[in-house]
Amino acid sequence: MTPLAAEANENLAQISNYLVYSSMAVYTLAFLAHIAEWIFGSRSKVGRTAAALTGAKAAAAPAVQVRAKGGTAVLDRPKVVTRSAAGTRDVPDGPGAAGGTEQGDLYGRIAVSMTALAFLIEAAGVVARATSVKRAPWGNMYEFSLTFSTVAVAAYLILLVLGKNVRWMGLILVTTVLLDLGIATTWLYTASDQLVPALHSYWLWIHVSTAIICGAVFYIGATGTLLYLFRDGYEARLERGEQPGRFMTSVMERLPSAATLDKFSYRINAAFFPLWTFTIIAGAIWAGDAWGRYWGWDPKEVWSFVTWVAYACYLHARATAGWKGRKAAYLALFAFACWIWNYYGVNILLNGKHSYAGV
Protein backbone atom coordinates (compact mmCIF):
# COMPACT_ATOMS: atom_id res chain seq x y z
CA MET A 1 0.00 0.00 0.00
CA THR A 2 1.38 3.40 -0.95
CA PRO A 3 1.85 6.07 1.73
CA LEU A 4 -0.86 8.16 0.07
CA ALA A 5 -3.37 5.29 0.21
CA ALA A 6 -2.45 4.55 3.83
CA GLU A 7 -3.01 8.20 4.73
CA ALA A 8 -6.39 8.17 2.97
CA ASN A 9 -7.45 5.07 4.89
CA GLU A 10 -6.37 6.65 8.16
CA ASN A 11 -8.41 9.76 7.36
CA LEU A 12 -11.45 7.60 6.63
CA ALA A 13 -10.99 5.83 9.97
CA GLN A 14 -10.90 9.19 11.75
CA ILE A 15 -14.02 10.29 9.88
CA SER A 16 -15.72 7.08 11.00
CA ASN A 17 -14.84 7.82 14.63
CA TYR A 18 -16.14 11.38 14.28
CA LEU A 19 -19.43 10.13 12.80
CA VAL A 20 -19.87 7.57 15.57
CA TYR A 21 -19.41 10.22 18.28
CA SER A 22 -21.73 12.56 16.38
CA SER A 23 -24.41 9.87 16.26
CA MET A 24 -24.07 9.42 20.03
CA ALA A 25 -24.73 13.15 20.48
CA VAL A 26 -27.87 12.97 18.33
CA TYR A 27 -29.01 9.77 20.08
CA THR A 28 -28.69 11.71 23.34
CA LEU A 29 -31.05 14.37 21.98
CA ALA A 30 -33.45 11.59 20.97
CA PHE A 31 -33.18 10.16 24.48
CA LEU A 32 -34.13 13.53 26.01
CA ALA A 33 -37.02 13.92 23.57
CA HIS A 34 -38.34 10.47 24.51
CA ILE A 35 -38.11 11.43 28.19
CA ALA A 36 -40.12 14.57 27.42
CA GLU A 37 -42.67 12.46 25.54
CA TRP A 38 -43.25 10.29 28.62
CA ILE A 39 -43.32 13.27 31.01
CA PHE A 40 -45.74 15.42 29.04
CA GLY A 41 -47.80 12.37 28.15
CA SER A 42 -48.41 11.76 31.86
CA ARG A 43 -49.84 15.22 32.48
CA SER A 44 -53.22 14.58 30.93
CA LYS A 45 -55.96 12.03 31.47
CA VAL A 46 -56.99 12.15 27.83
CA GLY A 47 -55.07 9.05 26.87
CA ARG A 48 -55.95 7.21 30.06
CA THR A 49 -59.68 7.55 29.58
CA ALA A 50 -59.78 7.17 25.79
CA ALA A 51 -60.58 3.48 25.88
CA ALA A 52 -63.26 3.95 28.52
CA LEU A 53 -64.92 6.78 26.58
CA THR A 54 -64.83 4.75 23.38
CA GLY A 55 -66.51 1.86 25.15
CA ALA A 56 -69.17 4.15 26.64
CA LYS A 57 -69.98 5.65 23.25
CA ALA A 58 -70.28 2.22 21.73
CA ALA A 59 -72.65 1.10 24.45
CA ALA A 60 -74.81 4.20 24.05
CA ALA A 61 -74.92 4.04 20.26
CA PRO A 62 -78.35 3.52 18.76
CA ALA A 63 -79.45 0.37 17.04
CA VAL A 64 -78.67 -0.01 13.38
CA GLN A 65 -81.50 0.97 11.04
CA VAL A 66 -81.87 -0.64 7.62
CA ARG A 67 -84.41 0.70 5.16
CA ALA A 68 -86.47 -2.10 3.62
CA LYS A 69 -89.34 -2.13 1.11
CA GLY A 70 -92.16 0.00 2.45
CA GLY A 71 -90.63 0.63 5.88
CA THR A 72 -87.64 0.54 8.16
CA ALA A 73 -86.37 -2.61 9.83
CA VAL A 74 -84.52 -2.12 13.08
CA LEU A 75 -81.68 -4.54 13.78
CA ASP A 76 -79.77 -5.06 16.98
CA ARG A 77 -76.30 -3.55 17.05
CA PRO A 78 -73.83 -6.32 16.16
CA LYS A 79 -71.60 -7.50 18.95
CA VAL A 80 -67.85 -7.23 18.56
CA VAL A 81 -66.27 -10.58 19.27
CA THR A 82 -62.60 -10.71 20.24
CA ARG A 83 -60.62 -13.89 20.02
CA SER A 84 -57.95 -14.29 22.68
CA ALA A 85 -55.73 -17.18 23.60
CA ALA A 86 -56.69 -19.20 26.62
CA GLY A 87 -55.64 -17.50 29.83
CA THR A 88 -55.26 -14.01 28.32
CA ARG A 89 -57.30 -10.92 29.12
CA ASP A 90 -59.29 -8.79 26.70
CA VAL A 91 -57.53 -5.55 27.62
CA PRO A 92 -57.19 -2.65 25.16
CA ASP A 93 -53.78 -1.33 24.22
CA GLY A 94 -52.58 1.84 25.90
CA PRO A 95 -52.32 5.14 23.99
CA GLY A 96 -48.51 5.02 23.85
CA ALA A 97 -45.81 7.07 25.52
CA ALA A 98 -47.48 10.33 24.47
CA GLY A 99 -50.52 9.39 26.54
CA GLY A 100 -52.87 10.67 23.86
CA THR A 101 -51.74 14.28 24.38
CA GLU A 102 -50.77 16.62 21.56
CA GLN A 103 -47.66 17.94 23.30
CA GLY A 104 -46.45 14.47 24.21
CA ASP A 105 -46.97 13.33 20.63
CA LEU A 106 -44.94 16.30 19.37
CA TYR A 107 -41.97 15.32 21.51
CA GLY A 108 -42.40 11.72 20.39
CA ARG A 109 -42.20 12.74 16.74
CA ILE A 110 -39.11 14.81 17.48
CA ALA A 111 -37.56 11.79 19.21
CA VAL A 112 -38.22 9.56 16.21
CA SER A 113 -36.78 12.19 13.86
CA MET A 114 -33.63 12.48 16.00
CA THR A 115 -33.36 8.69 16.11
CA ALA A 116 -33.59 8.49 12.32
CA LEU A 117 -30.95 11.21 11.92
CA ALA A 118 -28.62 9.49 14.39
CA PHE A 119 -29.13 6.22 12.52
CA LEU A 120 -28.06 7.81 9.23
CA ILE A 121 -24.96 9.31 10.85
CA GLU A 122 -24.02 6.02 12.53
CA ALA A 123 -24.61 4.08 9.31
CA ALA A 124 -22.31 6.52 7.50
CA GLY A 125 -19.71 5.85 10.20
CA VAL A 126 -19.97 2.10 9.60
CA VAL A 127 -19.56 2.62 5.85
CA ALA A 128 -16.55 4.88 6.42
CA ARG A 129 -14.99 2.23 8.66
CA ALA A 130 -15.54 -0.44 6.01
CA THR A 131 -14.05 1.79 3.33
CA SER A 132 -10.97 2.53 5.44
CA VAL A 133 -10.14 -1.18 5.83
CA LYS A 134 -11.43 -2.31 2.41
CA ARG A 135 -13.51 -5.12 3.90
CA ALA A 136 -16.72 -5.85 5.77
CA PRO A 137 -16.73 -3.87 9.05
CA TRP A 138 -17.12 -6.94 11.26
CA GLY A 139 -13.57 -8.00 12.02
CA ASN A 140 -13.65 -7.28 15.78
CA MET A 141 -16.07 -6.53 18.60
CA TYR A 142 -15.88 -2.77 18.10
CA GLU A 143 -17.02 -3.02 14.51
CA PHE A 144 -19.60 -5.68 15.35
CA SER A 145 -21.08 -3.46 18.09
CA LEU A 146 -21.39 -0.49 15.74
CA THR A 147 -23.19 -2.56 13.13
CA PHE A 148 -25.37 -4.30 15.74
CA SER A 149 -26.79 -1.03 17.10
CA THR A 150 -27.23 0.32 13.56
CA VAL A 151 -29.25 -2.72 12.49
CA ALA A 152 -31.33 -2.64 15.69
CA VAL A 153 -32.34 0.98 15.05
CA ALA A 154 -32.98 0.17 11.38
CA ALA A 155 -35.36 -2.63 12.38
CA TYR A 156 -37.19 -0.27 14.74
CA LEU A 157 -37.54 2.42 12.06
CA ILE A 158 -38.73 -0.14 9.49
CA LEU A 159 -41.46 -1.27 11.89
CA LEU A 160 -42.54 2.35 12.31
CA VAL A 161 -42.61 2.89 8.53
CA LEU A 162 -44.76 -0.24 8.20
CA GLY A 163 -47.26 1.35 10.58
CA LYS A 164 -46.57 -0.92 13.56
CA ASN A 165 -47.25 0.43 17.04
CA VAL A 166 -43.71 0.27 18.42
CA ARG A 167 -42.95 3.85 19.45
CA TRP A 168 -43.28 2.74 23.07
CA MET A 169 -39.94 0.99 22.51
CA GLY A 170 -38.09 4.17 21.53
CA LEU A 171 -36.80 5.17 24.96
CA ILE A 172 -35.49 1.68 25.78
CA LEU A 173 -33.95 1.29 22.31
CA VAL A 174 -32.11 4.62 22.36
CA THR A 175 -30.87 4.00 25.91
CA THR A 176 -29.51 0.60 24.91
CA VAL A 177 -27.88 1.97 21.76
CA LEU A 178 -26.12 4.67 23.78
CA LEU A 179 -24.92 2.03 26.22
CA ASP A 180 -23.72 -0.19 23.37
CA LEU A 181 -21.85 2.66 21.67
CA GLY A 182 -20.40 3.81 24.98
CA ILE A 183 -18.99 0.34 25.66
CA ALA A 184 -17.73 0.06 22.07
CA THR A 185 -15.90 3.39 22.04
CA THR A 186 -14.56 3.11 25.60
CA TRP A 187 -13.53 -0.52 26.06
CA LEU A 188 -13.87 -2.29 22.71
CA TYR A 189 -12.28 0.23 20.37
CA THR A 190 -9.78 -1.29 17.97
CA ALA A 191 -7.80 0.63 15.37
CA SER A 192 -8.46 -0.17 11.72
CA ASP A 193 -6.56 -3.26 10.68
CA GLN A 194 -6.70 -6.17 8.28
CA LEU A 195 -8.42 -9.46 9.05
CA VAL A 196 -6.75 -12.57 10.36
CA PRO A 197 -6.24 -15.10 7.50
CA ALA A 198 -9.17 -17.33 8.55
CA LEU A 199 -11.63 -14.47 7.98
CA HIS A 200 -10.58 -13.76 4.39
CA SER A 201 -13.64 -15.32 2.77
CA TYR A 202 -16.90 -14.29 1.15
CA TRP A 203 -18.56 -16.22 3.98
CA LEU A 204 -17.74 -13.25 6.22
CA TRP A 205 -20.39 -11.24 4.40
CA ILE A 206 -22.93 -14.06 4.65
CA HIS A 207 -22.35 -15.60 8.08
CA VAL A 208 -21.55 -12.51 10.17
CA SER A 209 -24.17 -10.27 8.53
CA THR A 210 -26.96 -12.73 9.29
CA ALA A 211 -25.65 -13.13 12.86
CA ILE A 212 -25.84 -9.36 13.36
CA ILE A 213 -29.33 -9.13 11.88
CA CYS A 214 -30.59 -11.97 14.06
CA GLY A 215 -29.05 -10.52 17.21
CA ALA A 216 -30.52 -7.07 16.56
CA VAL A 217 -34.01 -8.43 15.90
CA PHE A 218 -33.82 -10.87 18.82
CA TYR A 219 -33.01 -7.83 20.96
CA ILE A 220 -36.25 -6.16 19.85
CA GLY A 221 -38.14 -9.37 20.63
CA ALA A 222 -36.50 -9.55 24.08
CA THR A 223 -37.50 -5.95 24.79
CA GLY A 224 -41.12 -6.78 24.01
CA THR A 225 -40.91 -9.91 26.16
CA LEU A 226 -39.50 -8.01 29.14
CA LEU A 227 -42.20 -5.34 28.92
CA TYR A 228 -44.79 -8.11 28.57
CA LEU A 229 -43.76 -9.48 31.98
CA PHE A 230 -44.17 -6.04 33.59
CA ARG A 231 -47.48 -5.34 31.86
CA ASP A 232 -48.83 -8.82 32.63
CA GLY A 233 -47.98 -8.35 36.30
CA TYR A 234 -49.71 -4.97 36.25
CA GLU A 235 -52.86 -6.40 34.67
CA ALA A 236 -52.85 -9.27 37.16
CA ARG A 237 -52.74 -6.82 40.08
CA LEU A 238 -55.68 -4.89 38.66
CA GLU A 239 -57.54 -8.15 38.16
CA ARG A 240 -57.04 -8.97 41.85
CA GLY A 241 -58.46 -5.58 42.80
CA GLU A 242 -55.13 -4.08 43.86
CA GLN A 243 -54.14 -0.50 43.15
CA PRO A 244 -50.56 -0.17 41.83
CA GLY A 245 -48.49 2.93 42.57
CA ARG A 246 -48.91 6.14 40.64
CA PHE A 247 -45.65 5.82 38.72
CA MET A 248 -46.30 2.22 37.67
CA THR A 249 -49.84 3.11 36.65
CA SER A 250 -48.64 6.07 34.58
CA VAL A 251 -46.13 3.90 32.70
CA MET A 252 -47.97 0.60 32.37
CA GLU A 253 -51.30 2.01 31.22
CA ARG A 254 -49.65 3.59 28.18
CA LEU A 255 -48.03 0.38 26.94
CA PRO A 256 -49.76 -2.14 24.67
CA SER A 257 -51.66 -4.85 26.49
CA ALA A 258 -49.83 -7.94 27.73
CA ALA A 259 -51.47 -10.02 25.00
CA THR A 260 -50.27 -7.61 22.29
CA LEU A 261 -46.70 -7.53 23.63
CA ASP A 262 -46.65 -11.31 23.90
CA LYS A 263 -47.86 -11.72 20.31
CA PHE A 264 -45.37 -9.12 19.05
CA SER A 265 -42.39 -10.83 20.67
CA TYR A 266 -43.42 -14.27 19.52
CA ARG A 267 -43.82 -13.19 15.91
CA ILE A 268 -40.46 -11.41 15.91
CA ASN A 269 -38.61 -14.42 17.32
CA ALA A 270 -40.43 -16.92 15.13
CA ALA A 271 -39.83 -14.90 11.96
CA PHE A 272 -36.05 -14.74 12.42
CA PHE A 273 -35.38 -18.14 13.98
CA PRO A 274 -34.94 -19.71 10.51
CA LEU A 275 -32.33 -17.05 9.72
CA TRP A 276 -30.45 -17.94 12.91
CA THR A 277 -30.56 -21.58 11.80
CA PHE A 278 -29.05 -20.53 8.48
CA THR A 279 -26.39 -18.53 10.34
CA ILE A 280 -25.18 -21.63 12.18
CA ILE A 281 -25.20 -23.72 9.01
CA ALA A 282 -23.27 -21.01 7.12
CA GLY A 283 -20.74 -20.87 9.96
CA ALA A 284 -20.24 -24.62 9.79
CA ILE A 285 -19.63 -24.48 6.03
CA TRP A 286 -17.16 -21.61 6.51
CA ALA A 287 -15.38 -23.58 9.27
CA GLY A 288 -15.04 -26.49 6.86
CA ASP A 289 -13.37 -24.23 4.30
CA ALA A 290 -11.14 -22.40 6.80
CA TRP A 291 -10.16 -25.10 9.29
CA GLY A 292 -10.97 -28.37 7.52
CA ARG A 293 -13.80 -29.35 9.89
CA TYR A 294 -17.45 -28.33 10.11
CA TRP A 295 -17.75 -28.60 13.88
CA GLY A 296 -15.05 -28.57 16.53
CA TRP A 297 -16.84 -27.70 19.78
CA ASP A 298 -15.27 -24.27 19.82
CA PRO A 299 -16.87 -22.06 22.56
CA LYS A 300 -18.51 -19.82 19.96
CA GLU A 301 -19.91 -22.83 18.10
CA VAL A 302 -21.19 -24.40 21.30
CA TRP A 303 -22.98 -21.29 22.55
CA SER A 304 -24.42 -20.54 19.12
CA PHE A 305 -25.96 -24.00 19.22
CA VAL A 306 -27.13 -23.51 22.84
CA THR A 307 -28.82 -20.28 21.73
CA TRP A 308 -30.47 -22.12 18.84
CA VAL A 309 -31.74 -24.85 21.21
CA ALA A 310 -33.10 -22.24 23.64
CA TYR A 311 -35.06 -20.43 20.93
CA ALA A 312 -36.25 -23.76 19.51
CA CYS A 313 -37.53 -24.75 22.96
CA TYR A 314 -39.27 -21.39 23.29
CA LEU A 315 -41.04 -21.75 19.95
CA HIS A 316 -42.00 -25.33 20.81
CA ALA A 317 -43.24 -24.20 24.22
CA ARG A 318 -45.59 -21.74 22.56
CA ALA A 319 -47.34 -24.68 20.93
CA THR A 320 -47.68 -26.48 24.27
CA ALA A 321 -50.66 -25.57 26.44
CA GLY A 322 -48.70 -25.61 29.68
CA TRP A 323 -46.07 -23.14 28.51
CA LYS A 324 -48.06 -20.09 27.49
CA GLY A 325 -47.52 -16.64 28.89
CA ARG A 326 -44.90 -16.00 31.55
CA LYS A 327 -43.21 -19.40 31.43
CA ALA A 328 -42.54 -19.05 27.71
CA ALA A 329 -41.44 -15.44 28.24
CA TYR A 330 -38.79 -16.51 30.76
CA LEU A 331 -37.51 -19.03 28.24
CA ALA A 332 -37.34 -16.36 25.52
CA LEU A 333 -35.31 -14.07 27.80
CA PHE A 334 -33.00 -16.97 28.64
CA ALA A 335 -32.46 -17.57 24.92
CA PHE A 336 -31.51 -13.93 24.35
CA ALA A 337 -29.25 -14.02 27.42
CA CYS A 338 -27.45 -16.93 25.74
CA TRP A 339 -26.97 -14.76 22.65
CA ILE A 340 -25.55 -11.90 24.76
CA TRP A 341 -23.20 -14.28 26.56
CA ASN A 342 -22.13 -15.73 23.23
CA TYR A 343 -21.17 -12.24 22.13
CA TYR A 344 -19.60 -10.61 25.20
CA GLY A 345 -18.70 -13.53 27.45
CA VAL A 346 -17.34 -15.94 24.86
CA ASN A 347 -15.44 -13.26 22.93
CA ILE A 348 -13.79 -11.68 25.97
CA LEU A 349 -13.51 -14.41 28.61
CA LEU A 350 -13.05 -17.63 26.63
CA ASN A 351 -10.35 -18.62 24.18
CA GLY A 352 -11.05 -20.28 20.86
CA LYS A 353 -10.74 -20.01 17.12
CA HIS A 354 -13.37 -17.23 17.17
CA SER A 355 -11.34 -15.00 19.52
CA TYR A 356 -11.36 -11.89 17.36
CA ALA A 357 -12.42 -9.46 20.10
CA GLY A 358 -9.45 -7.19 19.56
CA VAL A 359 -9.50 -6.12 23.23
Side-chain angles (χ1 to χ4, degrees), residues 37-55 91-101 231 234 238 243 245-255:
E37 178 186 17
W38 280 92
I39 292 176
F40 286 98
S42 66
R43 292 186 176 182
S44 173
K45 295 183 178 180
V46 174
R48 306 175 189 179
T49 58
L53 291 176
T54 302
V91 179
D93 293 333
T101 66
R231 174 75 189 204
Y234 172 75
L238 293 180
Q243 183 58 46
R246 183 176 179 180
F247 176 78
M248 176 179 286
T249 300
S250 176
V251 173
M252 290 294 115
E253 70 186 359
R254 285 183 273 169
L255 293 175

Coordinates of all heavy atoms in Angstrom, one line a residue, residues 37-55 91-101 231 234 238 243 245-255:
E37 N -41.4 13.1 26.0 CA -42.7 12.5 25.5 C -43.4 11.7 26.7 O -44.6 11.9 26.9 CB -42.4 11.5 24.4 CG -43.6 10.7 23.9 CD -43.2 9.6 22.9 OE1 -42.0 9.2 22.9 OE2 -44.1 9.2 22.2
W38 N -42.6 11.0 27.5 CA -43.3 10.3 28.6 C -43.7 11.3 29.7 O -44.8 11.1 30.3 CB -42.2 9.3 29.2 CG -42.1 8.0 28.4 CD1 -41.3 7.7 27.4 CD2 -43.0 6.9 28.6 NE1 -41.5 6.5 26.9 CE2 -42.5 5.9 27.6 CE3 -44.0 6.5 29.4 CZ2 -43.1 4.6 27.5 CZ3 -44.6 5.3 29.3 CH2 -44.1 4.4 28.4
I39 N -42.9 12.3 30.0 CA -43.3 13.3 31.0 C -44.6 14.0 30.6 O -45.5 14.1 31.4 CB -42.1 14.2 31.3 CG1 -41.0 13.5 31.9 CG2 -42.6 15.4 32.2 CD1 -39.8 14.3 32.2
F40 N -44.6 14.6 29.4 CA -45.7 15.4 29.0 C -46.9 14.5 28.7 O -48.1 15.0 28.9 CB -45.4 16.3 27.8 CG -44.5 17.4 28.1 CD1 -43.2 17.4 27.9 CD2 -45.1 18.6 28.7 CE1 -42.3 18.5 28.2 CE2 -44.3 19.7 29.0 CZ -42.9 19.6 28.8
G41 N -46.7 13.3 28.4 CA -47.8 12.4 28.2 C -48.5 12.0 29.4 O -49.7 11.6 29.4
S42 N -47.8 12.1 30.6 CA -48.4 11.8 31.9 C -49.2 12.9 32.5 O -49.8 12.7 33.5 CB -47.3 11.3 32.8 OG -46.5 12.4 33.2
R43 N -49.2 14.1 31.9 CA -49.8 15.2 32.5 C -51.3 15.3 32.2 O -52.0 16.2 32.6 CB -49.1 16.5 32.0 CG -47.7 16.6 32.6 CD -47.1 18.0 32.2 NE -45.8 18.1 32.8 CZ -45.1 19.2 32.7 NH1 -45.5 20.3 32.0 NH2 -43.9 19.3 33.2
S44 N -51.8 14.5 31.3 CA -53.2 14.6 30.9 C -53.9 13.2 31.1 O -53.3 12.2 31.0 CB -53.3 15.0 29.5 OG -54.7 15.0 29.0
K45 N -55.2 13.3 31.3 CA -56.0 12.0 31.5 C -56.6 11.7 30.2 O -57.4 10.7 30.1 CB -57.0 12.2 32.6 CG -56.4 12.4 34.0 CD -57.5 12.4 35.0 CE -56.9 12.6 36.4 NZ -58.0 12.6 37.4
V46 N -56.3 12.4 29.1 CA -57.0 12.2 27.8 C -56.7 10.7 27.4 O -57.6 10.0 27.0 CB -56.5 13.2 26.8 CG1 -57.1 12.8 25.4 CG2 -56.9 14.6 27.2
G47 N -55.4 10.4 27.3 CA -55.1 9.1 26.9 C -55.6 8.0 27.8 O -55.9 6.9 27.4
R48 N -55.6 8.2 29.1 CA -56.0 7.2 30.1 C -57.4 6.8 30.0 O -57.8 5.7 30.3 CB -55.6 7.7 31.5 CG -54.2 8.1 31.7 CD -53.9 8.7 33.0 NE -52.6 9.3 33.1 CZ -52.1 9.9 34.2 NH1 -52.9 10.0 35.3 NH2 -50.9 10.4 34.2
T49 N -58.2 7.8 29.6 CA -59.7 7.6 29.6 C -60.2 7.3 28.2 O -61.4 7.1 28.0 CB -60.4 8.8 30.2 OG1 -60.1 9.9 29.5 CG2 -60.0 8.9 31.7
A50 N -59.3 7.3 27.2 CA -59.8 7.2 25.8 C -60.5 5.9 25.6 O -61.6 5.8 25.0 CB -58.6 7.3 24.8
A51 N -60.0 4.8 26.1 CA -60.6 3.5 25.9 C -61.9 3.4 26.6 O -62.9 2.9 26.0 CB -59.7 2.4 26.4
A52 N -62.0 4.0 27.8 CA -63.3 4.0 28.5 C -64.3 4.8 27.8 O -65.5 4.4 27.7 CB -63.0 4.5 29.9
L53 N -64.0 5.9 27.3 CA -64.9 6.8 26.6 C -65.4 6.1 25.3 O -66.6 6.2 25.0 CB -64.3 8.1 26.2 CG -64.0 9.1 27.4 CD1 -63.3 10.3 27.0 CD2 -65.3 9.4 28.1
T54 N -64.5 5.5 24.6 CA -64.8 4.8 23.4 C -65.8 3.6 23.7 O -66.8 3.5 23.0 CB -63.6 4.2 22.7 OG1 -62.7 5.2 22.4 CG2 -63.9 3.5 21.4
G55 N -65.6 2.9 24.8 CA -66.5 1.9 25.2 C -67.9 2.4 25.5 O -68.9 1.8 25.2
V91 N -57.9 -6.9 27.1 CA -57.5 -5.5 27.6 C -57.1 -4.7 26.4 O -56.3 -5.1 25.6 CB -56.4 -5.6 28.7 CG1 -56.0 -4.2 29.1 CG2 -56.8 -6.5 29.8
P92 N -57.6 -3.5 26.3 CA -57.2 -2.7 25.2 C -55.8 -2.2 25.3 O -55.2 -2.1 26.4 CB -58.2 -1.5 25.2 CG -58.6 -1.4 26.7 CD -58.6 -2.8 27.1
D93 N -55.1 -1.9 24.2 CA -53.8 -1.3 24.2 C -53.8 0.1 24.8 O -54.8 0.8 24.6 CB -53.2 -1.3 22.8 CG -52.9 -2.7 22.3 OD1 -52.7 -3.6 23.1 OD2 -52.9 -2.9 21.0
G94 N -52.7 0.5 25.4 CA -52.6 1.8 25.9 C -52.4 2.8 24.8 O -52.1 2.4 23.6
P95 N -52.5 4.1 25.0 CA -52.3 5.1 24.0 C -50.9 5.4 23.6 O -50.6 6.3 22.7 CB -52.9 6.4 24.6 CG -52.7 6.2 26.1 CD -52.8 4.7 26.4
G96 N -49.9 4.8 24.2 CA -48.5 5.0 23.8 C -47.9 6.0 24.8 O -48.5 6.5 25.7
A97 N -46.6 6.2 24.6 CA -45.8 7.1 25.5 C -46.4 8.5 25.6 O -46.3 9.1 26.6 CB -44.3 7.1 25.1
A98 N -46.9 9.0 24.5 CA -47.5 10.3 24.5 C -48.7 10.5 25.3 O -49.2 11.6 25.6 CB -47.8 10.8 23.0
G99 N -49.3 9.3 25.7 CA -50.5 9.4 26.5 C -51.7 10.0 25.9 O -52.7 10.4 26.5
G100 N -51.7 10.1 24.6 CA -52.9 10.7 23.9 C -52.9 12.2 23.9 O -53.9 12.8 23.5
T101 N -51.8 12.8 24.3 CA -51.7 14.3 24.4 C -51.0 14.8 23.2 O -50.1 14.2 22.7 CB -51.0 14.8 25.7 OG1 -49.7 14.4 25.6 CG2 -51.7 14.2 26.9
R231 N -46.1 -5.7 32.1 CA -47.5 -5.3 31.9 C -48.4 -6.5 32.3 O -49.5 -6.2 32.9 CB -47.7 -5.1 30.3 CG -49.1 -4.9 29.9 CD -49.6 -3.6 30.2 NE -51.1 -3.5 29.9 CZ -51.7 -2.4 29.7 NH1 -51.1 -1.2 29.7 NH2 -53.0 -2.4 29.5
Y234 N -48.8 -6.1 36.0 CA -49.7 -5.0 36.3 C -51.2 -5.3 36.0 O -52.0 -5.0 36.9 CB -49.3 -3.8 35.3 CG -50.2 -2.6 35.4 CD1 -50.3 -1.7 36.4 CD2 -51.1 -2.4 34.3 CE1 -51.1 -0.6 36.5 CE2 -52.0 -1.3 34.3 CZ -52.0 -0.4 35.4 OH -52.8 0.7 35.4
L238 N -54.4 -5.5 38.8 CA -55.7 -4.9 38.7 C -56.8 -5.9 38.7 O -57.9 -5.7 39.3 CB -55.7 -4.2 37.3 CG -54.8 -2.9 37.2 CD1 -55.0 -2.3 35.8 CD2 -55.1 -1.9 38.2
Q243 N -54.4 -1.8 43.8 CA -54.1 -0.5 43.1 C -52.6 -0.2 43.1 O -52.0 0.1 44.1 CB -54.8 0.6 43.9 CG -54.7 2.0 43.3 CD -55.2 2.0 41.9 OE1 -56.3 1.6 41.6 NE2 -54.5 2.6 41.0
G245 N -48.9 1.6 42.3 CA -48.5 2.9 42.6 C -48.7 3.9 41.4 O -48.9 3.4 40.3
R246 N -48.6 5.1 41.7 CA -48.9 6.1 40.6 C -47.9 6.1 39.5 O -48.3 6.2 38.3 CB -48.9 7.5 41.3 CG -49.2 8.7 40.3 CD -49.2 10.0 41.0 NE -49.6 11.1 40.1 CZ -49.6 12.4 40.5 NH1 -49.4 12.7 41.8 NH2 -49.9 13.3 39.6
F247 N -46.6 5.9 39.8 CA -45.6 5.8 38.7 C -45.9 4.6 37.8 O -45.9 4.7 36.6 CB -44.2 5.8 39.3 CG -43.2 5.6 38.3 CD1 -42.7 6.7 37.5 CD2 -42.5 4.4 38.1 CE1 -41.8 6.6 36.6 CE2 -41.6 4.3 37.1 CZ -41.2 5.4 36.4
M248 N -46.1 3.4 38.4 CA -46.3 2.2 37.7 C -47.5 2.4 36.8 O -47.6 2.0 35.6 CB -46.4 1.0 38.6 CG -46.8 -0.3 37.8 SD -46.9 -1.7 38.9 CE -45.1 -2.0 39.2
T249 N -48.6 2.9 37.4 CA -49.8 3.1 36.7 C -49.6 4.0 35.4 O -50.1 3.7 34.3 CB -50.9 3.7 37.6 OG1 -51.2 2.8 38.6 CG2 -52.2 3.9 36.8
S250 N -48.9 5.1 35.7 CA -48.6 6.1 34.6 C -47.9 5.4 33.4 O -48.2 5.7 32.3 CB -47.9 7.3 35.1 OG -47.5 8.2 34.1
V251 N -46.9 4.5 33.7 CA -46.1 3.9 32.7 C -46.9 2.7 32.1 O -47.0 2.7 30.8 CB -44.8 3.4 33.3 CG1 -44.0 2.6 32.2 CG2 -44.0 4.6 33.7
M252 N -47.4 1.8 32.9 CA -48.0 0.6 32.4 C -49.2 0.8 31.5 O -49.5 0.1 30.6 CB -48.3 -0.4 33.5 CG -47.1 -0.9 34.2 SD -46.1 -2.0 33.1 CE -44.6 -1.1 33.0
E253 N -50.0 1.8 31.9 CA -51.3 2.0 31.2 C -51.1 2.6 29.8 O -52.0 2.6 29.0 CB -52.2 2.9 32.0 CG -51.7 4.4 32.1 CD -52.6 5.2 33.0 OE1 -53.5 4.7 33.6 OE2 -52.3 6.4 33.1
R254 N -49.9 3.1 29.5 CA -49.7 3.6 28.2 C -49.0 2.6 27.2 O -48.9 2.8 26.1 CB -48.8 4.8 28.3 CG -49.6 6.0 28.8 CD -48.7 7.3 28.8 NE -47.9 7.4 30.0 CZ -47.0 8.3 30.2 NH1 -46.6 9.1 29.2 NH2 -46.3 8.4 31.4
L255 N -48.6 1.4 27.8 CA -48.0 0.4 26.9 C -49.1 -0.4 26.3 O -50.3 -0.4 26.7 CB -47.2 -0.5 27.8 CG -45.9 0.0 28.4 CD1 -45.2 -1.0 29.3 CD2 -44.9 0.5 27.3

